[in-house]
Amino acid sequence: MNRALLETVFYMRAISWKPDLAERYAQEDSLVRREYLQRFLKLNKGALPAGICPDEVASVRVLAAT
């Protein structure tokens, strides 16, 4: 947990120096989330388990596409 917090400090510092990095960081995060979603769906043959909201899945797809 400490490592995750320290990495976050580095990201925040970099963004404070170059604000345009924030947009790139957000876009990369969206692409990674979409990739994880695609892998998950492939492993589960396209089925979503109980408790997973289809609207959230759709929002991940939309965010990564923009």
Side-chain angles (χ1 to χ4, degrees):
M1 186 162 44
N2 287 336
R3 180 180 174 172
L5 290 171
L6 184 60
E7 288 176 359
T8 301
V9 170
F10 282 110
Y11 287 127
M12 291 172 63
R13 184 66 177 153
I15 289 168
S16 72
W17 282 342
K18 295 184 179 180
D20 60 314
L21 287 177
E23 184 64 32
R24 270 188 38 205
Y25 181 71
Q27 289 173 348
E28 287 177 18
D29 180 62
S30 295
L31 293 173
V32 169
R33 291 178 70 196
R34 184 175 183 201
E35 181 180 327
Y36 286 152
L37 173 63
Q38 289 172 336
R39 289 181 187 177
F40 177 82
L41 291 173
K42 184 177 180 180
L43 287 172
N44 291 294
K45 298 179 179 134
L48 293 175
I52 301 294
C53 178
D55 294 337
E56 289 181 37
V57 172
S59 72
V60 169
R61 287 182 172 144
V62 168
L63 283 174
T66 59

